[in-house]
Every structure is written in C-alpha cells, then in structure tokens.
Amino acid sequence: MVENERIAVQFNHVQKEFADQMVLTDLNLTIPADEIFVLVGPSGSGKTTTLKMINRLEDPSAGEITYFGRPVADYPLQELRWSIGYVLQHIALFPNMTVAENIAVIPEMKKMTKTKIQSRTTELLAAVDLPAAEYAQRYPHELSGGEAQRVGIVRALAADPGMILMDEPFSALDPLSRKQLQELILRLQAKLHKTIVFVTHDMHEALKVGDRIAVMHNGVIHQVGTPADIQQHPATSFIADFFAGAEVGHVVWADTLTQVLASGVLPQTTQAPTTQITAHTSVAAISPRLGNGETLAVKNSLDGHTYQLDAAGLLKYIVAVHTSSDSEGVH
Ligand SMILES: Nc1ncnc2c1ncn2[C@@H]1O[C@H](COP(=O)(O)OP(=O)(O)OP(=O)(O)O)[C@@H](O)[C@H]1O
Ligand SMILES: [Mg+2]
C-alpha cells in the first residue's frame, strides 16, 4: 500500500463470537479511503458481521476497529452512524413518504437547510438517472426494484457521509438491472470518490466494482488485492476455485431461464410452450437442444407471456448481461 494513502478503517485482531460460535477469530484488515473496497465470500463467511462492526450495529468480542484513526467505540454513536451511509439488499424506504422525503430524513436530522437538501436531492437523483421532476414526488410502491435501490443509494449519499457501507446492494435484482447498477456505481464513484465498503458473494461483481478486494471464507481473510492481483495470483486454492466459478461461461451455465427471460432480450411468440421446459430450468440443461438448432418456447409465469429462445437468443442474453460495456472480450 502506498504510504501516504489515507486509511478509512482498520481492524486490529478483531474477534467476534455469537453465543458459542466463534465467527471471526483474528480479523486484520486495512480499508483505504476514497475507493471501493469489496468484501467477497460465500454465504456465512462473516461479511455482514464485519460490516456491522464498522458502524457499531455489532461490537467486537475482542480487538479494535478504528474509523479515520479513532476507535469506533470512542465516537458518539449518533455521530458515527450519521457519518456512515448504509445500503442494504432490500432498501427499507418509508412507504408513506415520497422519494424526496425519504432522502431528506438524515439531512434534516443533521440540520441541513431546506434549500441545500433540495438542491442536493435534485443533483443526486439526476446522477442516478432518476430525474427529480419525474421521481421526487413518487411513493416507494411506484418504483421498480432497481429504482428503489437507486433511491437507497441517494439516501445514503444525501447527508454527505464520510463512508458508505453496502451489503449485497444489487443481489435481489434481475441480471440486467444488476449490471446497470454496477455500472452506475462506477460512474458515480468516478465523480464522488467516496470510501465505499461493498459486500457481495458474487466474485464477478467483486471484480467488476472493486478497486481492491478482500476474499473471505469461514471468518478468515484469504487475500487482499486489486482485481488483477487476485485474478492473476490467487493466494489459496479456495480463491482459485471461487474465481473459476466467476468466469463468464460458468456464470451463464448456472443461470436459470427465469433470469434469461427477465433480461428482456427474447422476442415473444404465440407458439405453445415447449413441454417440460419451465422457467426454473438452467441454461446448462437446455443448451444441448439449442446447440442442435432447436427453437424453444418458454412460458414466463411472471408475466404470462411465452418467449422464443434459440441459440442466437442465448448469445444475446450473454452479451447483454455477462459482458461489461468496457470489456475487451471474454475474461
Ligand atoms: N446475531 C447473530 N447471532 C448468532 N449468530 C450469528 C448472528 N449473526 C450472524 N451469525 C452467524 O455468523 C456467521 C457469519 O454470518 P454473516 O451474516 O456475517 O455472514 P455473511 O458472510 O454476511 O453471509 P451471507 O452471504 O449469507 O449474507 C454465520 O454462521 C451466522 O450464522
Ligand atoms: Mg450477509
């Protein structure tokens, strides 16, 4: 790490125990300021627990965590929480408040002026492609899942926090919205240069959004490095295997037809649905038939329509969802 880099968060010999279970035995982690730091690992590896200890939703059983050089335990709790934005998988917007009112909650508590709140709301909504004129007065039930997550990001940014924690912020979205929001967060970051700690269990997402990545497994950090470091020099066989699963081909293989249909790239058909092909079928299961030149008709139980799927359609899906616009080709 470069010496003059500012450090946002430091974990020193942190342990965390729940009831009888030791979840983190000796966590040491340095999170630099002004970049996207991704914590990636399979379910149950301790990512959320690690994140929650930063804004003290959880306290460590032993060890110390500092936030910009000062132990988190020494900050007045309210000051610490206000200084750290938090974005979750399912944004809990207040259902009886408009988008603008939801965004204003923390800035109002921080006694920001009305004019300032309004201009900041307008500016941030524009930055996430939700023009205020169209969206500020809507209620949460009038938003799509992806739009609600965007409002959640704006809400976390509204009070100009020193850092933002994001816990699987895009995991509940369909693949296309997910890809759009990954690109949006990168665009936003190019302007704002915030310190962001981003938790995901998806290595593909980690490689795409992270300036630096920490790979976690069973409460242990296996490696911290840039995406290139981790891709080219995986420190353990666990990382090499985890990374192999993130390659484009593997990801597509495991996708279900629900995901393919949700991407919106397939044309509708009036043909009767092909028997025994349901939306839960995986791409792996239908690929041999597509390879033989068959055209399948797949019914989407969500919208009731039937869609035409052939090899070209699957390729369109792969291009739409699994390659980034700046990608130089297959990883
Ligand atoms: N409040 C709690 N009480 C008891 N055990 C808990 C508590 N919170 C988490 N754990 C346990 O700690 C371990 C790590 O959980 P954590 O939520 O940090 O994992 P994670 O990496 O975020 O997983 P996921 O990807 O599924 O969200 C798990 O074994 C979990 O069961
Ligand atoms: Mg979690």
Side-chain angles (χ1 to χ4, degrees), residues 127-129 150 153 180-188:
V128 299
D129 305 328
R150 287 166 199 237
I153 292 170
Q180 285 170 346
L181 284 199
Q182 289 164 353
E183 279 160 13
L184 181 137
I185 206 84
L186 290 174
R187 280 204 312 275
L188 211 54

Side-chain angles (χ1 to χ4, degrees), residues 157-294:
L157 284 166
D160 200 15
M163 178 169 69
I164 301 183
L165 308 177
M166 297 190 163
D167 196 349
E168 309 257 7
F170 311 143
S171 298
L173 302 175
D174 64 82
L176 198 60
S177 311
R178 186 170 184 162
K179 178 176 177 254
Q180 285 170 346
L181 284 199
Q182 289 164 353
E183 279 160 13
L184 181 137
I185 206 84
L186 290 174
R187 280 204 312 275
L188 211 54
Q189 179 65 351
K191 268 195 245 167
L192 301 178
H193 305 290
K194 284 277 170 194
T195 306
I196 299 177
V197 186
F198 188 109
V199 162
T200 178
H201 59 256
D202 178 348
M203 187 59 120
H204 198 257
E205 182 164 85
L207 293 171
K208 180 158 177 183
V209 305
D211 292 305
R212 213 175 298 251
I213 300 173
V215 186
M216 196 171 199
H217 183 40
N218 287 339
V220 175
I221 302 285
H222 279 231
Q223 186 173 7
V224 182
T226 62
D229 290 339
I230 293 193
Q231 252 171 305
Q232 288 157 18
H233 311 286
T236 65
S237 60
F238 166 77
I239 298 180
D241 292 347
F242 194 46
F243 178 65
E247 282 170 20
V248 170
H250 288 261
V251 175
V252 174
W253 214 239
D255 286 356
T256 62
L257 296 189
T258 310
Q259 290 169 286
V260 180
L261 296 179
S263 71
V265 301
L266 301 182
Q268 284 184 30
T269 173
T270 50
Q271 211 182 315
T274 312
T275 49
Q276 293 181 335
I277 304 266
T278 69
H280 301 296
T281 310
S282 68
V283 167
I286 51 113
S287 286
R289 294 179 67 171
L290 299 184
N292 284 335
E294 257 188 85

